[in-house]
């Protein structure tokens, strides 16, 4: 697999965890951020789905 084929991190360089261990910038949990580099593309896509759900709840 080429580096270009890897699912990219949703990091937006606003790194701060809230009281629920959720990053206010990318909406990943501390655990998801820590494990990101070891995750498969499949796992990363699952995290991105969760991120999209979390973002939609924040924007309401």
């Amino acid at each position: 697999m080429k580096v270009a084929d890897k699912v990219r991190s949703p990091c937006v360089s606003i790194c701060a965890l809230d009281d629920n261990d959720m990053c206010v910038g990318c909406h990943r949990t501390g655990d998801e951020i820590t494990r990101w580099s070891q995750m498969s593309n499949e796992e990363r896509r699952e995290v991105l789905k969760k991120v999209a759900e979390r973002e939609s709840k924040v924007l309401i």
Side-chain angles (χ1 to χ4, degrees):
M1 177 188 319
K2 296 178 290 197
V3 173
D5 294 336
K6 281 193 143 182
V7 175
R8 292 179 51 136
S9 167
C11 180
V12 293
S13 298
I14 303 172
C15 307
L17 298 179
D18 66 13
D19 293 337
N20 298 314
D21 193 42
M22 194 74 54
C23 179
V24 299
C26 69
H27 301 282
R28 290 181 291 170
T29 64
D31 182 59
E32 290 166 344
I33 294 167
T34 302
R35 296 185 313 107
W36 186 264
S37 62
Q38 283 79 44
M39 288 182 183
S40 67
N41 278 339
E42 179 80 20
E43 291 171 309
R44 290 177 179 192
R45 285 186 197 96
E46 287 300 314
V47 169
L48 291 178
K49 285 179 189 174
K50 292 177 187 174
V51 164
E53 290 173 17
R54 293 171 189 151
E55 285 177 334
S56 69
K57 290 177 183 169
V58 171
L59 297 175
I60 293 174

